[in-house]
Amino acid sequence: MKSVLCEMLGIEYPIIQGAMAWVADADLASAVSNAGGLGMIGTGHDPVEIVNEKIADMKTKTDKPFGVNIMLLNSHVEEVVKAVCASGVKVVTTGAGSPGKYMDQFKAAGISVIPVVASVALARRMEKDGADAVIIEGMESGGHIGKSTTITLLPQVVDAVDVPVIAAGGIGDGRGMAAAFMLGAAGVQVGTRFVVARESNAHQNFKDAILKAKDIDTVVTGLITGHPVRVLRNRLTREYLKAEKEETSKEKPDFDRLEKIGTGALRKAVVEGDKNYGSMMAGQIAGMITKEETCKEIIEDYMTTSKKMILAQAKLWTE
Ligand code: TUI
């Protein structure tokens, strides 16, 4: 099973690994690329030196195609864009904003640009600005999210643009992948399941929390500050949501107080394994993940199950 996305990116399977800040290092991304998917280096709030180190590390670990994600809220974003353009990297995804003003630089460097979008309007704008594909991310995802669900956003974006559309958010196994194909996706992006991969350096406590999670164990914080983030619920989210309620009832809500509660909490979860005060970003499919597997096993599972589901579905119908 190959899709236009495989041709465009030179990969074997239409599976992109989500570029999760602190988690998506060269160990994880190279394992995904070596297994035939598209490994992605996450750069979050990294300064340019770290980005260069990660790319150099990646080049020692794989000869296969890989990409770099640029988080547009990164205060070093201008330098990071320049460094990535100079690095020979061939694929860039972007998150948390519009990469419009960097598009000329990416194009001049021969980079395929795949912005993550959370609305039809932004998908259209990205296509006009020269995006080679778009990733639609539903609010089932972990981390920073938009407002629409994958099942509603995906077909609307597929109808609105001509470039390939990749589905992200809520795609927990091959059944979700088959459903995304039915809605017109050319590929999927998977995050949470790769957090728990054997090759992922995320702290074992964070992995265990995902393995233990049930269907309703994620919550969305930051809805009133305009920066909604989906995480596993814990002491931090309880205190945060309480503070959010308090601020909402005030005449002059102190959004800074809320933002401060979350500062540095993602690192605490991923690096220190702080289950109580770490921001354990994870998608709603966390409840589907029951074991640690290699990236190769994860990718094979998506591919074999989705193929089986599509064939089984065909057998259920007659003209
Ligand atoms: O970017 C994400 N998810 C993320 S980034 C992240 S790291 C971080 N940690 C702490 C603070 C800040 C960042 C954790 N999770 N997903 C891609 C995504 N992009 N989801 C939604 C969007 C998005 C939002 C607004 C894309 C474009 C957009 O455009 C606004 C505009 O400019 O029109």
Side-chain angles (χ1 to χ4, degrees), residues 59-304:
K59 285 178 180 169
T60 68
K61 293 182 166 133
T62 187
D63 301 324
K64 299 273 174 71
F66 67 93
V68 173
N69 173 270
I70 301 178
M71 210 278 287
L72 294 160
L73 295 174
N74 185 345
S75 52
H76 313 283
V77 60
E78 308 267 339
E79 295 161 76
V80 170
V81 168
K82 277 207 187 84
V84 171
C85 288
S87 70
V89 163
K90 289 289 168 235
V91 186
V92 162
T93 64
T94 63
S98 165
K101 66 175 175 176
Y102 308 112
M103 209 60 103
D104 290 344
Q105 285 182 69
F106 290 135
K107 294 279 131 180
I111 291 174
S112 295
V113 185
I114 314 184
V116 177
V117 299
S119 71
V120 169
L122 192 58
R124 279 216 175 94
R125 178 142 61 91
M126 290 300 103
E127 179 181 46
K128 212 164 107 228
D129 287 350
D132 297 277
V134 292
I135 299 170
I136 68 94
E137 194 182 85
M139 51 84 83
E140 298 94 323
S141 303
H144 280 253
I145 53 173
K147 294 194 176 75
S148 300
T149 58
T150 299
I151 204 168
T152 56
L153 184 60
L154 175 56
Q156 294 184 77
V157 172
V158 165
D159 286 347
V161 300
D162 290 321
V163 291
V165 180
I166 297 145
I171 320 275
D173 64 17
R175 293 170 298 177
M177 190 186 196
F181 289 154
M182 292 298 125
L183 295 170
V188 297
Q189 178 179 277
V190 173
T192 308
R193 208 160 151 191
F194 283 122
V195 175
V196 187
R198 280 220 190 281
E199 297 91 340
S200 154
N201 293 315
H203 197 286
Q204 195 60 42
N205 291 351
F206 183 19
K207 290 186 178 182
D208 288 344
I210 293 174
L211 291 170
K212 246 179 58 190
K214 299 206 173 44
D215 55 345
I216 53 168
D217 285 344
T218 68
V219 290
V220 179
T221 61
L223 280 168
I224 66 154
T225 61
H227 302 290
V229 176
R230 183 180 300 284
V231 291
L232 292 179
R233 61 176 154 164
N234 58 5
R235 210 168 292 168
L236 173 75
T237 64
R238 267 194 297 281
E239 288 177 16
Y240 183 95
L241 292 171
K242 186 162 159 267
E244 209 171 59
K245 245 190 210 149
E246 283 164 13
E247 292 307 329
T248 322
S249 65
K250 287 183 189 161
E251 206 166 305
K252 267 199 179 162
D254 182 0
F255 287 166
D256 281 352
R257 172 190 167 210
L258 297 176
E259 300 276 346
K260 272 196 199 107
I261 299 176
T263 306
L266 179 58
R267 185 184 179 282
K268 259 191 211 159
V270 181
V271 182
E272 294 166 27
D274 186 339
K275 280 190 178 184
N276 296 320
Y277 287 103
S279 172
M280 297 188 286
M281 295 183 180
Q284 286 186 305
I285 57 85
M288 293 170 68
I289 306 174
T290 54
K291 57 179 188 282
E292 209 173 314
E293 295 169 289
T294 64
C295 292
K296 188 163 180 283
E297 286 166 340
I298 293 172
I299 289 174
E300 277 170 2
D301 184 53
Y302 272 95
M303 293 312 298
T304 52

